[in-house]
Amino acid sequence: MVRNWIEYRTDAWVQWCPGCGNYGILTAIYKAFAELDLDPKETVVVSGIGCSSRIPYYINVSGVHTLHGRPIPVATGIKLANPRLNVVVHSGDGDLLGIGMAHFVALGRRNVDLTVILHDNAVYGLTKGQAGPTLPAWLRTKALRAPNYQDAVEPVLIALASGYTFIARSYAYHAEKLKEIIKEAIEHKGSSLVQVLQPCPTYNNIMTPKWYEERIYYINEKYPEYDPIVKVPGERDKKIAEILDKFYKDSDKIPLGILLKDISKDTFEDRIEKIIPGYLKNPPGLRYTDLDGKSLIRPKDVFKDRIVKA
Amino acid sequence: MNGNRVDLGLIIGGPQGGGIESAGQITVRTLMSKGYDVYGTREYHSNITGAHSYFNLRARSDIARSVKLPVDFLIALDAESVFTHINDVKKKGFFVYDSGTSSTKIDKIAPMPKPLKVRVKEKLSKLGLGDTVADAVRYIENKDVKVVGVPIRELLKETAKRSGLSVVSVARVANTIGLAAAFALIGIEREHIEKAITLYFAGKEKAIKPNIVAVETTYDYIKDNFKLGNPLPNGPYQGKLRMVINGNDVVAMGKIAGGLTLQTYYPITPAADEALYLESYRTVEPTDEAKEKLGLDKVGTLVIQTEDEISAIGMAIGAALAGARVATTTSGPGFSLMNEMVSMAVIMEVPLVVTIWQRAGPSTGMATRNGQQDLLISLFSGHGDTPKIVLSSGDHVEAFYDSIRALNWAEKFQTPVIHLVDKMLSGSLKSIDPPDPTKIKIERGKFLREVDGKYNRFTITEDGISPRAPLGVAKQMISSLVHNEYGMVTEDPLLRNQMTEKMLKKIESIEKEISESERYSVYGDPDSDILLISWGTNKGPILDAIEKLAGDGIKVKFFQIRTFKPFPAKALTEAMDSSKVIIGVESNILEQMRMITRMNILRDIPHMIVKYTGRTMYEQEIYFGVKEILEKGSRKVVVSDGA
Ligand SMILES: Cc1ncc(C[n+]2csc(CCOP(=O)(O)OP(=O)(O)O)c2C)c(N)n1
Ligand code: SF4
Ligand SMILES: [Mg+2]
């Protein structure tokens, strides 16, 4: 460990409610960043809008606090303009799976080398407790006027179907285990999803720590033989079948740990290099745009298909 | 045509997807080979194949910049084109059609819109005519137009025979036969169309031969059965190296020349072709000087097709934050989706160009038709107080240089720049001299490649613009929330005021640094007290109309608004205050330019010529519109020419 995790703290007042699961995630991030020795200048945390999305102010690296649902497009733009940066997205369940779902799916298709950390409290914290997209049907959490009559989405299954190459689930109060998973997610080359089950003591009075702790188990403890790695493209479907078979049979239990690590696919950046040779050496954020104010090209020498010698 | 001055207008009509695009491209090159300047618009339905589509082209020995109606000659490649353009050729002009379609009845043409069928049938029955192509031909002949029926099927057979190929394999040259017949009649020598074919099909050698044989066969047929036209005088551009581009191409070229490094888009008409042209030039050869001095062997531009327009603008913003020179391209519906992000780009002070290819709205409206209806949304896009720059291009050449200016202004003022172009420009073809990007210096404003020590992205400065280091160069905080100079969120009322006033200073800098002369152009007679005010692609038809009006002794001055933000307040006030008759021209029903003029300089434009059919503005519409206003003092003239 080169940097002390204390160095990643900022002097901003952390404004989450007492006992909020976000604290556990923040601690895990400090320690993961420290253990990976991430350079604050070359690391960017991008978030949407929500309680969880305040996190960039609390981490002493570069931060971009965007719009509700939109951290993924902005993070993708940053990463593609300068692939040398470490880019981590923090997003709430409403942010990522409600208003921002199209981007969540699109990221999986691209496999950009980004890590997405989903702060899943199953409610809309910042707007005072409405039902989030992961709230199971017919639960009636504190702020709801009627039981939730919409079904929940399952982010892990969507991530599997969309092409994410690293998919894991963890629990906010197990900061040490969460840290290890976050480290592995950041080190993975490709789009990673870490769904963090995050108790919201203020609005989610049903999915409490007790509720979670009765249901969660760690894959590597219950199924030590399970190997999440996909090495060749054809194996992915078989792995998904195995995941469904092993971890989705018992709907009362919630498996934690790394569900899938697919190392068979190219990252988006590598794919771009194939169609724009030299992209990685001179990416859009770093390359020259001009020579002392002069254009780098002459239209008549470049756009030959439009030339007519009259 | 008088003396040696050539001014030819022609229409080529046929089914969408039936080679009409190639026919237009070959025609433009033929006329360029003859030495003329060429401009041509393209009208088409929101349809992939079958619906009526046409080019209206104009060739002039001086400068072509608008199309006219009626035209001098017309080539109807199918029956629908005969009916659709029944009134579009002037007296003594040529109307060339496929004589094989003579017995086709109008009601048998499935793609033809019903209201148009009703209108045409009414016209025919008024003269006691029936409803076949042969009847339409009689109607056209009645108007003193020379109608020439070309037996395309027979000529195809002859072409097959002469080239030693099967009739099926030469079927694709049917359009070329139509074109060749028209050119033979009006006096364009065979060599020009042959050269155009060779140029257009370069790289597809197999296509060249049957087309050339078809030309030869058709010229022989015209010579034997009618009479080859007397050769027209050549134009002054013969032997010159020129380009033929459409608006989509030229904006993409301007962006590449202007140092764009990343563009995003979600497919939409008429913007997508710009992104596609860009993408086909994603790696290009730099100048020798750039190669040598910068060690660059290729210049790469990343074009990303996103999942929607929100992502398109979001990715562009992210890329700009990491140092890329960016743009995104869209049309009205896409821009509606982008609004929240425009506001975010303002508070994050992101340099970003949004190119808007306006089309006819509201809503999905008419996706492939023209309109100037997105001025208000451009100026007022984004919630909150959101200053931005809005410029509009009047023609292809302006669009090239404006694309570079837009990128410069975005980086200089660190705020969104909206570049308004339209469907008319996107699809219209124009011959131009190769543009020279060195005429405009590429500027990146206060862009930093290195930073020492602690960095505040939003430092308060005299001019409201802070030194901008990208992510990766300096640790920084970028927030869509109100923030302090570092970027840290704040709700302190006084700090909020300071940061908001920083934005106001930026607006003042924009007003100061973009000089009045960059905001407008004035054409025509500077001493005239008749003033036309307009924007965008109405420029060409207006310039041609004022030339025509001058011929009648009516002198007109034309004020073209080139930037709406900053507004050319001083110059327009002076122009309006020194004019007696003031006429606005625009393609929307709310008279948006008139509203904005009133808002900016408290002056009303009392007379308007407006068009909202979704079609291009024509020279004669403005010519007659001005005359009507001068004679009758009409408040508003609504024009609606064009199929
Ligand atoms: C376009 C838009 N719509 C609505 C909102 C209001 N809003 C702010 S946060 C939020 C929901 C937050 O829920 P979630 O993403 O789950 O984050 P949490 O607060 O639970 O961490 C909403 C709807 C907004 N900021 N922007
Ligand atoms: S409302 Fe819930 S999620 Fe938001 S800060 Fe409070 S406890 Fe945390
Ligand atoms: Mg939530």
Side-chain angles (χ1 to χ4, degrees):
Chain A
M1 205 194 288
V2 181
R3 278 171 229 261
N4 190 313
W5 68 271
I6 305 285
E7 290 175 38
Y8 290 93
R9 289 178 18 181
T10 67
D11 56 10
W13 169 58
V14 182
Q15 60 170 47
W16 294 315
C17 309
C20 175
N22 284 321
Y23 287 102
I25 302 175
L26 182 60
T27 305
I29 285 285
Y30 289 148
K31 296 196 168 162
F33 281 15
E35 288 177 26
L36 294 172
D37 193 25
L38 299 187
D39 181 348
K41 203 169 78 176
E42 298 192 335
T43 304
V44 190
V45 168
V46 185
S47 69
I49 297 290
C51 293
S52 42
S53 288
R54 300 279 293 200
I55 204 165
Y57 302 113
Y58 312 143
I59 310 173
N60 190 22
V61 298
S62 278
V64 185
H65 190 190
T66 69
L67 299 178
H68 190 36
R70 315 301 171 200
I72 285 179
V74 176
T76 303
I78 293 168
K79 183 72 184 181
L80 297 182
N82 184 355
R84 290 162 216 179
L85 301 175
N86 309 301
V87 184
V88 179
V89 171
H90 286 267
S91 180
D93 50 305
D95 202 74
L96 194 71
L97 308 170
I99 191 168
M101 182 60 104
H103 313 309
F104 178 57
V105 171
L107 179 60
R109 291 177 53 212
R110 299 190 180 108
N111 200 30
V112 181
D113 185 16
L114 289 180
T115 299
V116 178
I117 302 195
L118 163 59
H119 298 229
D120 184 3
N121 56 7
V123 289
Y124 282 27
L126 194 61
T127 46
K128 301 193 184 304
Q130 298 85 354
T134 52
L135 185 68
W138 300 111
L139 295 192
R140 184 175 170 194
T141 46
K142 211 149 110 189
L144 299 191
R145 305 302 194 261
N148 174 29
Y149 57 96
Q150 303 193 51
D151 280 330
V153 293
E154 182 18 331
V156 162
L157 295 184
I158 294 169
L160 283 169
S162 312
Y164 280 76
T165 49
F166 182 98
I167 301 170
R169 191 188 283 130
S170 190
Y171 176 52
Y173 288 170
H174 291 172
E176 191 58 29
K177 285 184 169 131
L178 174 57
K179 174 204 75 184
E180 287 304 320
I181 285 179
I182 290 174
K183 271 168 62 187
E184 206 165 333
I186 292 173
E187 285 193 305
H188 172 74
K189 291 262 160 278
S191 297
S192 310
L193 169 70
V194 181
Q195 178 192 8
V196 189
L197 307 176
Q198 176 233 318
C200 164
T202 305
Y203 292 113
N204 197 329
N205 57 323
I206 297 178
M207 298 157 84
T208 58
K210 182 169 175 286
W211 188 93
Y212 281 119
E213 281 154 29
E214 282 166 8
R215 288 167 174 79
I216 54 177
Y217 68 89
Y218 280 90
I219 291 172
N220 57 358
E221 289 165 11
K222 191 165 171 191
Y223 301 100
E225 79 292 351
Y226 178 71
D227 175 12
I229 296 183
V230 171
K231 290 198 191 71
V232 289
E235 276 175 18
R236 187 177 169 108
D237 289 351
K238 271 185 250 149
K239 192 65 70 186
I240 292 175
E242 189 182 348
I243 289 169
L244 290 173
D245 189 50
K246 273 206 168 82
F247 310 129
Y248 280 83
K249 263 201 304 231
D250 184 355
S251 58
D252 274 353
K253 295 285 175 220
I254 306 172
L256 302 183
I258 297 168
L259 290 126
L260 181 97
K261 184 173 171 162
D262 182 347
I263 54 171
S264 72
K265 281 208 253 180
D266 278 357
T267 62
F268 201 56
E269 297 87 310
D270 290 335
R271 296 181 217 173
I272 294 171
E273 176 68 25
K274 284 183 190 158
I275 61 152
I276 306 179
Y279 159 75
L280 290 171
K281 192 169 147 229
N282 281 309
L286 300 175
R287 87 149 163 87
Y288 289 105
T289 53
D290 59 276
L291 174 63
D292 302 326
K294 246 192 292 172
S295 177
L296 300 178
I297 64 134
R298 287 290 161 278
K300 74 174 163 47
D301 299 331
V302 168
F303 306 107
K304 295 213 169 88
D305 60 334
R306 300 300 195 254
I307 293 283
V308 174
K309 268 230 178 74
Chain B
M1 275 153 269
N2 57 36
N4 275 341
R5 183 167 171 262
V6 175
D7 180 358
L8 272 180
L10 70 140
I11 286 176
I12 311 165
Q16 177 92 345
I20 187 83
E21 177 67 25
S22 317
Q25 296 280 2
I26 290 169
T27 303
V28 173
R29 284 163 176 76
T30 304
L31 296 165
M32 285 174 75
S33 165
K34 185 75 183 158
Y36 305 145
D37 196 48
V38 187
Y39 171 79
T41 60
R42 172 88 196 273
E43 288 291 356
Y44 55 102
H45 284 80
S46 184
N47 156 273
I48 303 301
T49 179
H52 179 64
S53 164
Y54 69 94
F55 276 98
N56 185 336
L57 294 150
R58 185 166 186 174
R60 279 175 52 162
S61 44
D62 46 1
I63 175 166
R65 59 199 164 194
S66 76
V67 290
K68 50 182 182 176
L69 259 188
V71 291
D72 302 289
F73 68 104
L74 187 146
I75 304 152
L77 297 169
D78 64 355
E80 184 174 354
S81 303
V82 178
F83 291 117
T84 304
H85 298 288
I86 197 159
N87 281 325
D88 289 351
V89 180
K90 68 176 199 195
K91 272 188 183 177
K92 311 281 179 211
F94 284 106
F95 195 115
V96 177
Y97 78 108
D98 176 2
S99 55
T101 62
S102 291
S103 60
T104 306
K105 285 190 154 109
I106 192 166
D107 284 329
K108 286 274 179 288
I109 304 171
M112 191 166 173
K114 281 205 181 100
L116 180 58
K117 282 182 181 169
V118 171
R119 288 201 298 271
V120 172
K121 280 199 281 192
E122 248 174 47
K123 283 187 191 121
L124 293 174
S125 73
K126 261 192 202 146
L127 296 187
L129 292 166
D131 56 0
T132 64
V133 167
D135 292 299
V137 163
R138 232 161 295 143
Y139 175 95
I140 299 166
E141 277 169 345
N142 242 326
K143 302 178 61 159
D144 201 11
V145 170
K146 287 174 257 179
V147 184
V148 176
V150 180
I152 290 191
R153 194 170 314 147
E154 278 70 52
L155 292 179
L156 269 179
K157 279 187 203 148
E158 178 63 20
T159 302
K161 205 167 93 193
R162 289 197 196 179
S163 55
L165 296 164
S166 72
V167 179
V168 177
S169 66
V170 299
R172 289 175 141 231
V173 307
N175 291 349
T176 304
I177 292 174
L179 298 183
F183 287 138
L185 287 162
I186 59 160
I188 303 241
E189 301 88 334
R190 222 174 82 187
E191 70 204 62
H192 298 295
I193 181 166
E194 287 175 358
K195 184 168 160 192
I197 286 166
T198 318
L199 276 172
Y200 182 67
F201 289 111
K204 298 179 205 153
E205 306 306 320
K206 264 200 183 149
I208 295 177
K209 195 180 164 213
N211 274 289
I212 301 254
V213 176
V215 171
E216 181 195 288
T217 309
T218 311
Y219 271 73
D220 288 348
Y221 172 81
I222 296 291
K223 191 167 67 195
D224 297 344
N225 296 277
F226 301 89
K227 178 173 151 317
L228 289 182
N230 287 331
L232 292 171
N234 291 335
Y237 297 98
Q238 256 186 358
K240 300 243 161 73
L241 185 119
R242 306 204 83 204
M243 291 178 113
V244 54
I245 42 88
N246 67 26
N248 287 141
D249 300 343
V250 87
V251 167
M253 288 175 185
K255 285 177 176 175
I256 293 178
L260 178 91
T261 66
L262 184 144
Q263 165 146 313
T264 58
Y265 81 108
Y266 183 78
I268 189 165
T269 306
D273 283 348
E274 180 221 309
L276 297 182
Y277 195 71
L278 246 175
E279 196 175 11
S280 52
Y281 285 96
R282 62 187 176 274
T283 55
V284 297
E285 201 66 23
T287 57
D288 291 341
E289 196 188 3
K291 268 189 198 166
E292 200 177 298
K293 295 206 173 133
L294 302 176
L296 276 180
D297 53 343
K298 283 276 185 282
V299 174
T301 309
L302 177 57
V303 178
I304 313 167
Q305 180 185 330
T306 58
E307 59 275 24
D308 55 34
E309 284 88 349
I310 299 173
S311 181
I313 185 170
M315 266 193 214
I317 289 170
L321 293 175
R325 190 158 156 107
V326 304
T328 186
T329 191
T330 189
S331 178
F335 190 62
S336 285
L337 284 181
M338 291 182 180
N339 262 269
E340 193 189 8
M341 284 272 185
V342 169
S343 192
M344 185 180 86
V346 169
I347 199 166
M348 289 183 170
E349 307 201 26
V350 180
L352 162 78
V353 172
V354 183
T355 312
I356 304 183
W357 294 95
Q358 300 170 93
R359 62 189 217 188
S363 192
T364 311
M366 293 198 289
T368 60
R369 307 294 183 178
N370 195 44
Q372 295 185 306
Q373 303 170 333
D374 297 335
L375 177 58
L376 297 183
I377 194 183
S378 299
L379 285 163
F380 302 124
S381 57
H383 55 284
D385 289 325
T386 50
K388 59 193 83 70
I389 295 171
V390 177
L391 75 160
S392 140
S393 301
D395 61 33
H396 296 73
V397 175
E398 277 180 22
F400 177 84
Y401 295 106
D402 284 350
S403 301
I404 307 177
R405 292 205 296 168
L407 289 165
N408 281 348
W409 287 342
E411 291 214 286
K412 223 167 137 181
F413 301 108
Q414 303 177 11
T415 204
V417 175
I418 293 164
H419 183 189
L420 282 170
V421 277
D422 60 26
K423 183 264 154 180
M424 223 43 259
L425 188 76
S426 76
S428 59
L429 292 169
K430 177 80 182 81
S431 58
I432 57 168
D433 295 330
D436 176 9
T438 60
K439 281 190 190 159
I440 295 190
K441 187 169 181 244
I442 293 179
E443 292 176 282
R444 304 208 65 184
K446 297 186 185 179
F447 185 68
L448 301 176
R449 285 190 187 275
E450 268 166 63
V451 168
D452 274 341
K454 187 167 158 55
Y455 170 70
N456 283 341
R457 169 65 190 92
F458 303 100
T459 306
I460 293 176
T461 57
E462 246 341 272
D463 59 3
I465 299 156
S466 321
R468 179 174 73 97
L471 292 164
V473 167
K475 181 173 72 73
Q476 57 193 287
M477 185 68 214
I478 311 281
S479 178
S480 76
L481 279 63
V482 173
H483 44 259
N484 65 12
E485 288 179 272
Y486 175 70
M488 184 58 70
V489 57
T490 179
E491 294 193 21
D492 181 81
L494 298 187
L495 196 48
R496 148 83 181 169
N497 268 8
Q498 269 183 25
M499 296 310 284
T500 311
E501 284 155 11
K502 172 182 195 293
M503 185 180 76
L504 197 65
K505 279 199 232 159
K506 186 189 280 194
I507 301 176
E508 286 163 9
S509 294
I510 291 171
E511 288 288 348
K512 228 185 289 163
E513 291 192 33
I514 298 180
S515 65
E516 274 268 320
S517 64
E518 291 182 84
R519 305 179 191 182
Y520 70 96
S521 304
V522 172
Y523 299 90
D525 184 344
D527 300 325
S528 165
D529 54 13
I530 305 171
L531 176 68
L532 281 182
I533 308 170
S534 190
W535 61 289
T537 51
N538 298 328
K539 176 187 174 187
I542 290 175
L543 291 178
D544 282 341
I546 59 180
E547 221 176 72
K548 216 167 149 177
L549 287 162
D552 293 356
I554 303 170
K555 290 182 179 157
V556 177
K557 176 158 77 181
F558 166 40
F559 190 103
Q560 180 199 359
I561 301 177
R562 301 210 35 200
T563 65
F564 280 94
K565 189 73 204 168
F567 195 75
K570 203 164 142 263
L572 188 57
T573 305
E574 281 169 15
M576 288 179 78
D577 289 353
S578 61
S579 301
K580 280 211 185 83
V581 183
I582 302 171
I583 305 170
V585 181
E586 58 182 326
S587 301
N588 61 66
I589 199 166
L590 291 182
E591 304 176 11
Q592 299 188 5
M593 172 190 74
R594 181 174 173 225
M595 285 160 109
I596 295 305
T597 302
R598 226 187 276 137
M599 182 185 96
N600 275 287
I601 60 172
L602 303 176
R603 273 163 183 72
D604 191 30
I605 304 177
H607 306 282
M608 294 294 299
I609 299 173
V610 292
K611 183 163 193 174
Y612 36 82
T613 56
R615 308 306 197 264
T616 181
M617 196 70 91
Y618 291 94
E619 162 193 315
Q620 81 279 358
E621 291 177 315
I622 293 161
Y623 171 82
F624 289 118
V626 169
K627 284 204 152 178
E628 184 187 320
I629 289 167
L630 292 179
E631 281 159 23
K632 299 193 204 148
S634 317
R635 210 300 280 152
K636 175 162 94 168
V637 178
V638 179
V639 296
S640 56
D641 283 358

